[in-house]
Every structure is written in structure tokens, then in C-alpha cells.
């Protein structure tokens, strides 16, 4: 396992669209392990592969009671709205209030490449929305209310 460098706000890669992961192999497994470790040492709640410079649709999440990776995640349903205080490891020391869905339903593949559906609410819904945005080149500052 290794800690990878986190790409910061001005890095153009953060604005690119990540590619669908077509097959599971050792490199994907290692990338996910590194992402967990990189997230942990940086005290993050979530991390997308693009943030370590890899344009693949992979995210990792770690909050109390939830720790998992998702490959090719897609939000298929949202419900309600919540206001939250958001930050991002690519935008250190920036925290702003945003609005996110209260609940999200997400489909994707788990770490073993098996299909999963996750129904999330509260903080987990915020983290999933934030990380899945990264896969389309969207940063949370794009969603601030003007
Ligand atoms: Ni982020």
C-alpha cells in the first residue's frame, strides 16, 4: 500500500470526466487500497480516484459505521434536501454550506466487482453525492448558492 499525492484545486485533471472501469484486476485492487490509506492519513470522509490522478470511476468512503469502495457508482434516485457544511481534500481549508439530497440511491460495483445498490441518507448521502460529482469533474464549490 502507498499514500498517493492528492491533486489540488487548480489541477486540470479534477475537471475531467473519469472513465468507466471495464474490468477488475490487481491494479484496481491496489488503487483502492491506496485510496483508503490516502483518505485516512488526510482525515477525509471520501475520495475519488481522480483526486489521486487516476481518471477511473472509483470512490472510497469512510465515515462512522460505513467503509466501502464503489466502482462505477451512479445515483439513480434522490429524495429531499439537506444543508451541510462541505469540504474536500483537493480544496484544503475551504468549507462552505451546500445543499444536497437527504437521500440517495446508488448503484455500482463493490470491491469484488459485484453489483450493489446502496440506499443512503444524511451524511452518507452527502459524501456519495460529493464523490460521484468528482467523477464528472464537478467540485463542491460549483454547487454553492450564489
Ligand atoms: Ni472532494
Amino acid at each position: 500500500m502507498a499514500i498517493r499525492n492528492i491533486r489540488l484545486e487548480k489541477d486540470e485533471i479534477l475537471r475531467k470526466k473519469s472513465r468507466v472501469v471495464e474490468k477488475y484486476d490487481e491494479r484496481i485492487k491496489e488503487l483502492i487500497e491506496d485510496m483508503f490509506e490516502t483518505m485516512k492519513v488526510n482525515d477525509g470522509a471520501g475520495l475519488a480516484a481522480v483526486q489521486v490522478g487516476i481518471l477511473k470511476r472509483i470512490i472510497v468512503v469512510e465515515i462512522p459505521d460505513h467503509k466501502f469502495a464503489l466502482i462505477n457508482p451512479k445515483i439513480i434516485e434522490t429524495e429531499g434536501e439537506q444543508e451541510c457544511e462541505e469540504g474536500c481534500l483537493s480544496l484544503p481549508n475551504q468549507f462552505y454550506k451546500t445543499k444536497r439530497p437527504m437521500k440517495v440511491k446508488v448503484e455500482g460495483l463493490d470491491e469484488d466487482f459485484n453489483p450493489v445498490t446502496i440506499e443512503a441518507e444524511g451524511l452518507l448521502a452527502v459524501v456519495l453525492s460529493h464523490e460521484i460529482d468528482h467523477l464528472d469533474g464537478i467540485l463542491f464549490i460549483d454547487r454553492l448558492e450564489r
Side-chain angles (χ1 to χ4, degrees):
M1 287 207 287
I3 293 160
R4 302 200 186 196
N5 286 333
I6 293 185
R7 303 300 184 96
L8 299 176
E9 186 177 357
K10 301 287 180 236
D11 197 317
E12 281 175 18
I13 199 170
L14 293 174
R15 293 306 188 174
K16 295 192 170 150
K17 226 174 140 76
S18 294
R19 289 180 293 270
V20 169
V21 178
E22 304 284 1
K23 74 174 183 32
Y24 184 80
D25 58 24
E26 275 303 306
R27 287 179 62 192
I28 299 291
K29 188 173 176 245
E30 199 180 310
L31 171 62
I32 289 172
E33 285 174 2
D34 289 355
M35 285 171 66
F36 273 121
E37 200 177 353
T38 304
M39 171 173 64
K40 201 174 185 79
V41 297
N42 288 285
D43 219 10
L47 189 71
V50 60
Q51 291 180 274
V52 293
I54 308 286
L55 284 168
K56 291 185 190 300
R57 301 186 81 84
I58 302 174
I59 64 170
V60 294
V61 173
E62 185 168 10
I63 59 170
D65 302 322
H66 298 282
K67 182 182 177 186
F68 58 87
L70 270 181
I71 300 166
N72 304 335
K74 196 185 255 179
I75 294 176
I76 54 165
E77 264 178 57
T78 66
E79 198 185 313
E81 193 176 69
Q82 60 179 319
E83 204 173 76
C84 39
E85 176 103 344
E86 255 179 86
C88 178
L89 292 180
S90 293
L91 288 75
N93 305 316
Q94 294 189 56
F95 298 92
Y96 301 110
K97 277 200 167 65
T98 56
K99 283 194 174 133
R100 294 288 189 181
M102 178 55 78
K103 294 182 182 177
V104 295
K105 193 171 181 181
V106 176
E107 276 182 2
L109 302 169
D110 69 12
E111 276 170 84
D112 300 312
F113 228 59
N114 294 316
V116 281
T117 303
I118 293 175
E119 296 195 39
E121 61 177 286
L123 176 61
L124 186 56
V126 175
V127 176
L128 284 169
S129 303
H130 177 121
E131 300 313 326
I132 292 170
D133 267 355
H134 273 301
L135 305 181
D136 292 317
I138 299 166
L139 298 177
F140 83 102
I141 48 171
D142 303 342
R143 297 206 180 268
L144 301 184
E145 310 240 315
R146 303 285 164 198

